[in-house]
Amino acid sequence: MAVMKASMLLVLVSLSCSYALSSSCSTSPSQWCSSLDSAIQCGVLKQCLEANFTRAHHAADPVQLALYYESLCPACRDFLTQILFPTWTLLQDILTVTLVPYGNAQEIFDGKKYIFTCQHGVPECLGNMIETCILNMSSSTAFQIIYCMESSTDVIKAAKSCVELYSPQLEWGRIMSCVNGDLGNQLMHQNALKTKALSPPHNFVPWVTVNGEHTDELQQKVMSSLFTLVCNMYKGTKPAVCGVSRDARRYRSYCYTE
């Protein structure tokens, strides 16, 4: 049985190489290993099998990081695009990221729906809502889409093209229906509840919890050496990349509550 499996594996690997020469890869890199068809079409079956084997031997829960932020806060954008996303890209097998776009916003209930006021004005409320709906409707590529938005000159204007790039099957009209409808309103209210439930309460953003905990020391380590922190905190077999020093950028910039 083991010999037969090994033979089949070799056949599939060979098939992937020949198939890649005659077929174009239509999926984004983050989805190459999402299915056998995608792996074969993109010519990376062998690499996906090796990655799955490595992942199966980690045998420990990933480090859980939650980021509470605002879509137009300059400090949040810098942290998300220059520290958090690059670290997650390298360590996504051992790091899980939860994004909560709300930050220093405020909400009131007018009897029918929640009205939100954001630190950086109406455009930020729109950015928060778009990203919240993307997180709800495109979970597998949401981080890539939000990174694309936050690294652009204009976060709001970039949203549609970023969705088309990383999640072409997701219709922009569906996202805007969420943004302007009851679903988006309720999702943002949930973000508000999550943010208000923080202990200790946040007094600036980006605000980070690691494995559900926030301390001044953890926040400082996250902002200055996130890559090293995740590698050190992970209890399973560490990926090879953890042996390479990656912490080059350090931030101490925040958007404080008013």
Side-chain angles (χ1 to χ4, degrees), residues 139-176:
S139 57
S140 63
T141 58
F143 199 4
Q144 291 91 327
I145 296 170
I146 290 172
Y147 165 78
C148 176
M149 291 173 60
E150 295 293 342
S151 60
S152 301
T153 303
D154 191 314
V155 174
I156 309 301
K157 288 184 178 179
K160 186 173 184 290
S161 60
C162 289
V163 170
E164 291 171 347
L165 176 63
Y166 287 103
S167 188
Q169 75 282 359
L170 178 58
E171 297 178 2
W172 181 248
R174 288 183 57 210
I175 294 175
M176 292 311 296

Side-chain angles (χ1 to χ4, degrees), residues 49 58 129:
L49 291 171
H58 281 150
M129 188 67 80

Side-chain angles (χ1 to χ4, degrees), residues 58-205:
H58 281 150
D61 292 334
V63 176
Q64 306 278 342
L65 185 147
L67 172 65
Y68 297 80
Y69 73 105
E70 301 165 348
S71 61
L72 298 188
C73 164
C76 297
R77 296 180 65 186
D78 283 347
F79 174 71
L80 189 151
T81 60
Q82 299 190 43
I83 295 181
L84 181 57
F85 185 81
T87 301
W88 174 80
T89 300
L90 292 169
L91 299 177
Q92 56 188 285
D93 287 341
I94 66 169
L95 173 64
T96 299
V97 173
T98 300
L99 300 177
V100 185
Y102 186 80
N104 299 327
Q106 301 292 327
E107 68 169 0
I108 59 172
F109 187 66
D110 69 357
K112 295 183 178 179
K113 63 179 181 179
Y114 292 94
I115 307 297
F116 303 100
T117 304
C118 298
Q119 186 171 25
H120 299 92
V122 173
E124 181 168 79
C125 280
L126 177 57
N128 290 350
M129 188 67 80
I130 291 173
E131 293 183 0
T132 295
C133 288
I134 287 170
L135 286 162
N136 177 258
M137 303 174 76
S138 181
S139 57
S140 63
T141 58
F143 199 4
Q144 291 91 327
I145 296 170
I146 290 172
Y147 165 78
C148 176
M149 291 173 60
E150 295 293 342
S151 60
S152 301
T153 303
D154 191 314
V155 174
I156 309 301
K157 288 184 178 179
K160 186 173 184 290
S161 60
C162 289
V163 170
E164 291 171 347
L165 176 63
Y166 287 103
S167 188
Q169 75 282 359
L170 178 58
E171 297 178 2
W172 181 248
R174 288 183 57 210
I175 294 175
M176 292 311 296
S177 293
C178 170
V179 167
N180 296 316
D182 291 339
L183 175 59
N185 195 258
Q186 287 298 318
L187 290 172
M188 188 58 67
H189 174 57
Q190 293 303 312
N191 285 355
L193 294 178
K194 292 175 185 176
T195 304
K196 292 173 184 175
L198 286 169
S199 180
H202 86 286
N203 51 25
F204 55 77
V205 288

Side-chain angles (χ1 to χ4, degrees), residues 3 36 69 84 96 121 132 147 154 208 212 219-220 228 233 244:
V3 173
L36 179 61
Y69 73 105
L84 181 57
T96 299
T132 295
Y147 165 78
D154 191 314
V208 175
Q219 179 82 23
Q220 182 179 357
T228 299
M233 290 188 70
V244 181

